[in-house]
């Protein structure tokens, strides 16, 4: 055969071989990891879970292209400790960050440090909430503490900077700027993209004022909960919408109006509004002043029920308004990954540092082991690994993220990490998952919102909680019969065997995770040493 024709005949085979080799290289290339976390984002406010309150099409897209977890929970429902658990893969009692006050032990080894050491380029943008110099990152721009919604300051490796604008948009701008200008295409990357929203005081972007301040939302079934059978939840907890949600600080009634009303619990908005420049403040006042004036007119005729409903609606308008911006910006990042052909080899996670009460039990905030703050949203997509539009019911925790990311990157986890890699579940290999209970421990008492110290375990069927320190209260919930967790059945005779079995399981799990009453008492002594307990 003529050499020319032979070459032409072989070309399709050569090209096919090259394509297969390229595919093989792509399949063995270490995946990028994009970790998206918002602050206090209730699963009830993600339409992939529940569409009664808001539509979140961009966050939902992660579930549609990947997996939605229905039983994802946290180990300690409070901001900084949750983040410490995520970074270290260890429960609070071992990593030492038990609450928002206790300093983070920087000798802890975090998964970003391990990924960086293994050749990943690493970056963090947004809200960390503790520490000003996170280890394991080639670049970071983080908010100091809680940060601000408008014209926020950022801490960077080269100094502090203030950026004009809305924080959710700015965090995304910084993230995409890094992706566009400083990402090394020769390296896999870990990107931690961390939103302040929807954390208190729930200040929406200007573009969302008109729509969300006019909306009305369905009331939660348990908005007027009387806490019967739950002594530890009432009357001590200070997170009630009626009694503890502040008219000015939270709900934006200016002090000049609040001062004219007979309101026992109100507080100035203070520097949150003070950060707005003249143009931003003018746009704010056009919308929020008429709302406050209308409230002042109606307030004298409001009983407790009417005031609770008004406060709930205002709370939801602003809280959900901040989420609208989060969803838009998640869409911006997902679209960028698509545009740059990065999506196929990138694992994307969307979660929150914990759940949040949206009026359930009459509350806002978190901290309790009850469902709305214990459960956290978790949506993961990983093309060619996760079957799209999959729902997972197995019990997973934020404790598991570190080991998951290390396995994805081919890095062996340290022996003291306590989670379990989610990779088998992501691959649909459920037979490799054998966890039947998850552990929880909350410490910050006395402290803000006055939620008693407690620990407990949850299975798919039951939840056992022990409140301790200055009380000794036990609670058991039948999760299948009582999903709202309003009936404590601990003392009911028909649940006696369940109580015994759950207590045995609790001791087994505490031993597994190396928690004990001795450790708890040690942390109480630390509170005394710091003057937090008299």
């Amino acid at each position: 055969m003529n050499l020319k024709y032979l070459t032409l005949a072989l070309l399709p085979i050569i090209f096919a071989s090259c394509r297969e080799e390229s595919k093989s290289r792509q399949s063995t290339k270490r995946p990028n990891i994009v970790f998206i976390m918002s602050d206090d984002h209730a699963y009830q406010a993600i339409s992939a879970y529940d569409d009664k309150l808001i539509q979140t099409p961009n966050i939902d897209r992660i579930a549609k292209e990947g997996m939605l977890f229905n039983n994802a929970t946290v180990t300690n429902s409070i901001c900084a400790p949750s983040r410490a658990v995520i970074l270290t893969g260890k429960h609070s009692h071992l990593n030492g960050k038990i609450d928002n006050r206790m300093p983070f032990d920087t000798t802890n080894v975090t998964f970003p440090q391990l990924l960086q050491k293994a050749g990943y380029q690493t970056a963090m943008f947004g809200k960390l909430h503790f520490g000003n110099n996170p280890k394991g990152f080639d670049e970071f721009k983080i908010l100091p503490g809680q940060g601000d919604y408008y014209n926020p300051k950022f801490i960077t490796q080269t100094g502090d900077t203030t950026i004009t604008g809305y924080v959710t948009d700015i965090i995304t701008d910084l993230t995409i700027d890094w992706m566009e200008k400083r990402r090394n295409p020769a390296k896999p990357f870990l990107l931690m993209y961390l939103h302040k929203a929807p954390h208190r005081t729930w200040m929406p972007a200007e573009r969302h004022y008109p729509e969300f301040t006019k909306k009305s939302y369905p009331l939660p079934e348990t908005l007027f909960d009387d806490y019967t059978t739950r002594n530890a939840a009432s009357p001590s907890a200070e997170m009630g919408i009626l009694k503890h949600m502040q008219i000015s600080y939270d709900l934006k009634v200016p002090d000049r109006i609040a001062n004219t009303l007979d309101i026992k619990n109100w507080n100035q908005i203070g520097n949150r509004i003070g950060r707005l420049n003249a143009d931003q403040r003018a746009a704010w006042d056009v919308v929020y002043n008429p709302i406050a004036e209308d409230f002042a007119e109606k307030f004298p005729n409001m009983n407790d029920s009417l005031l609770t409903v008004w406060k709930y609606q205002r709370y939801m308008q602003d809280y959900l308004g901040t989420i609208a911006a989060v969803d838009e910006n998640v869409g911006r990042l997902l679209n960028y990954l698509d545009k740059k052909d990065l999506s196929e080899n990138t694992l994307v996670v969307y979660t929150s540092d914990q759940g949040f009460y949206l009026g359930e039990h009459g509350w806002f905030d978190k901290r309790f082991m009850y469902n709305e703050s214990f459960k956290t949203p978790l949506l993961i997509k990983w093309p060619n690994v996760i079957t799209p539009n999959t729902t997972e019911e197995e019990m997973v925790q934020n404790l598991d993220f570190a080991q998951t990311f290390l396995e994805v990157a081919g890095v062996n986890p340290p022996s003291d990490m306590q989670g379990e890699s989610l990779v088998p579940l992501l691959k649909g290999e459920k037979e490799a998952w054998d966890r039947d209970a998850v552990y929880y421990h909350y410490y910050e008492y006395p402290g803000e919102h006055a939620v008693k110290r407690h620990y407990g375990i949850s299975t798919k069927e039951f939840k056992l909680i022990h409140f301790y320190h200055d009380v000794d209260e036990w609670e058991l919930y039948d999760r299948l019969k009582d999903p709202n967790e309003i009936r404590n059945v601990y003392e009911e005779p028909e649940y006696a065997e369940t109580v015994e079995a759950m207590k045995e399981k609790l001791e087994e799990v505490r031993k597994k995770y190396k928690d004990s009453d001795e450790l708890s008492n040690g942390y109480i002594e630390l509170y005394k040493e710091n003057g937090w307990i008299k």
Side-chain angles (χ1 to χ4, degrees):
M1 179 182 287
N2 184 291
L3 183 61
K4 175 181 177 182
Y5 291 116
L6 176 61
T7 302
L8 289 172
L10 289 173
L11 278 176
I13 299 172
I14 295 170
F15 287 146
S17 175
C18 289
R19 281 196 300 271
E20 289 303 315
E21 185 180 347
S22 176
K23 285 182 181 178
S24 175
R25 284 199 304 268
Q26 182 71 15
S27 66
T28 58
K29 185 180 178 182
R30 291 185 294 174
N32 308 307
I33 300 167
V34 174
F35 182 74
I36 309 172
M37 186 165 69
S38 49
D39 193 307
D40 292 345
H41 192 170
Y43 68 89
Q44 312 94 289
I46 295 177
S47 48
Y49 285 100
D50 191 335
D51 62 2
K52 293 186 185 71
L53 294 175
I54 191 172
Q55 294 294 324
T56 53
N58 296 295
I59 297 171
D60 293 358
R61 174 180 157 193
I62 299 172
K64 289 177 181 176
E65 297 178 11
M67 183 174 287
L68 179 77
F69 287 80
N70 275 330
N71 267 315
T73 61
V74 296
T75 63
N76 185 357
S77 185
I78 184 170
C79 297
S82 176
R83 294 158 192 266
V85 168
I86 289 169
L87 288 170
T88 65
K90 296 188 288 188
H91 274 278
S92 301
H93 59 271
L94 292 189
N95 69 50
K97 185 65 177 167
I98 62 169
D99 59 24
N100 282 340
R101 294 178 289 192
M102 202 70 72
F104 179 66
D105 180 357
T106 56
T107 64
N108 279 300
V109 175
T110 65
F111 80 81
Q113 290 175 271
L114 298 172
L115 290 182
Q116 185 186 50
K117 185 178 179 181
Y120 270 69
Q121 188 180 13
T122 58
M124 174 189 284
F125 301 99
K127 182 176 178 180
L128 174 61
H129 191 62
F130 64 86
N132 295 339
N133 188 27
K135 292 183 179 179
F137 292 96
D138 300 315
E139 181 175 331
F140 62 81
K141 289 184 175 67
I142 57 174
L143 298 165
Q146 296 289 0
D148 286 288
Y149 274 103
Y150 280 88
N151 310 324
K153 182 168 77 172
F154 286 86
I155 299 166
T156 77
Q157 282 133 315
T158 57
D160 295 353
T161 183
T162 298
I163 303 176
T164 301
Y166 186 66
V167 67
T168 307
D169 302 333
I170 293 169
I171 290 169
T172 310
D173 293 341
L174 296 173
T175 300
I176 292 177
D177 181 72
W178 177 82
M179 295 277 289
E180 185 70 18
K181 298 177 181 176
R182 292 179 299 287
R183 180 181 67 85
N184 182 352
K187 284 187 171 186
F189 64 85
L190 164 69
L191 172 62
M192 298 192 75
Y193 168 56
L194 312 174
H195 284 294
K196 170 184 172 59
H199 193 279
R200 196 179 187 185
T201 57
W202 318 302
M203 295 174 68
E206 180 183 329
R207 62 186 177 274
H208 293 131
Y209 299 165
E211 176 187 357
F212 282 86
T213 56
K214 291 181 175 63
K215 289 194 173 190
S216 181
Y217 297 93
L219 303 182
E221 291 180 39
T222 59
L223 179 62
F224 296 102
D225 193 346
D226 62 6
Y227 312 110
T228 302
T229 75
R230 286 155 290 149
N231 296 328
S234 177
S236 62
E238 297 174 356
M239 49 200 287
I241 287 176
L242 175 63
K243 293 182 179 180
H244 306 113
M245 184 171 279
Q246 298 172 5
I247 291 292
S248 290
Y249 181 74
D250 292 318
L251 303 178
K252 325 302 190 297
V253 176
D255 59 327
R256 64 177 177 81
I257 292 177
N259 273 329
T260 68
L261 306 174
D262 182 20
I263 300 174
K264 295 179 181 178
N265 185 36
W266 69 275
N267 203 21
Q268 294 184 20
I269 302 175
N271 66 358
R272 301 300 191 270
I273 293 298
R275 293 192 68 83
L276 272 64
N277 61 33
D279 289 342
Q280 292 166 342
R281 183 60 187 263
W284 177 276
D285 287 345
V286 164
V287 174
Y288 282 90
N289 281 352
I291 293 172
E293 290 160 2
D294 180 69
F295 169 72
E297 184 178 334
K298 293 176 179 176
F299 176 74
N301 297 316
M302 285 184 175
N303 57 26
D304 284 353
S305 294
L306 290 174
L307 183 56
T308 298
V309 171
W310 183 88
K311 293 176 84 172
Y312 168 76
Q313 295 294 351
R314 281 294 305 117
Y315 167 35
M316 286 298 91
Q317 289 166 357
D318 287 348
Y319 177 92
L320 296 169
T322 70
I323 289 173
V326 172
D327 187 68
E328 290 171 350
N329 281 281
V330 167
R332 286 178 61 199
L333 182 58
L334 294 178
N335 290 341
Y336 180 88
L337 294 172
D338 285 349
K339 180 181 176 182
K340 298 298 180 177
D341 295 324
L342 292 168
S343 295
E344 283 297 298
N345 195 41
T346 299
L347 181 147
V348 177
V349 174
Y350 186 90
T351 191
S352 176
D353 49 357
Q354 66 269 314
F356 211 68
Y357 294 101
L358 304 185
E360 298 88 2
H361 307 292
W363 290 333
F364 65 101
D365 208 67
K366 56 262 185 180
R367 290 171 167 80
F368 278 112
M369 195 185 172
Y370 304 132
N371 194 50
E372 290 81 10
S373 59
F374 179 51
K375 179 175 175 177
T376 193
L378 179 59
L379 306 84
I380 304 179
K381 78 182 189 83
W382 189 7
N384 305 312
V385 177
I386 298 176
T387 301
N389 208 25
T390 302
T391 300
E392 181 53 72
E393 302 294 337
E394 293 299 325
M395 304 196 74
V396 304
Q397 288 197 290
N398 57 352
L399 183 71
D400 301 324
F401 292 157
Q403 279 162 280
T404 301
F405 299 146
L406 292 175
E407 180 171 347
V408 165
V411 178
N412 291 326
S415 60
D416 62 347
M417 281 190 175
Q418 296 181 301
E420 297 181 34
S421 170
L422 303 178
V423 169
L425 295 179
L426 302 182
K427 292 182 175 180
E429 299 168 356
K430 294 171 73 73
E431 66 279 358
W433 191 263
D434 62 357
R435 179 188 285 159
D436 59 358
V438 291
Y439 184 60
Y440 181 88
H441 198 153
Y442 174 80
Y443 299 86
E444 193 174 280
Y445 181 84
E448 188 175 3
H449 296 294
V451 171
K452 301 285 188 181
R453 293 176 181 237
H454 59 288
Y455 59 83
I457 58 166
S458 180
T459 67
K460 291 179 182 177
E461 296 83 17
F462 297 100
K463 183 181 294 182
L464 179 71
I465 308 173
H466 181 215
F467 292 88
Y468 70 97
H469 173 46
D470 61 343
V471 293
D472 184 13
E473 298 277 352
W474 288 88
E475 296 179 356
L476 177 72
Y477 295 96
D478 188 324
R479 299 186 66 204
L480 302 181
K481 293 181 179 178
D482 179 25
N484 288 331
E485 296 176 331
I486 59 174
R487 180 185 167 202
N488 173 19
V489 296
Y490 181 81
E491 299 288 353
E492 296 186 13
E494 59 266 39
Y495 285 93
E497 291 185 6
T498 300
V499 167
E500 183 178 353
M502 288 292 284
K503 280 191 170 183
E504 288 179 4
K505 188 67 179 177
L506 175 61
E507 288 308 307
E508 174 189 323
V509 170
R510 292 190 88 197
K511 184 176 180 180
K512 172 184 176 181
Y513 290 125
K514 302 178 182 179
D515 198 7
S516 64
D517 290 342
E518 289 76 17
L519 267 176
S520 299
N521 292 333
Y523 281 120
I524 290 171
E525 290 303 314
L526 279 176
Y527 263 56
K528 291 178 180 178
E529 290 173 15
N530 283 284
W532 300 332
I533 297 178
K534 292 181 180 180

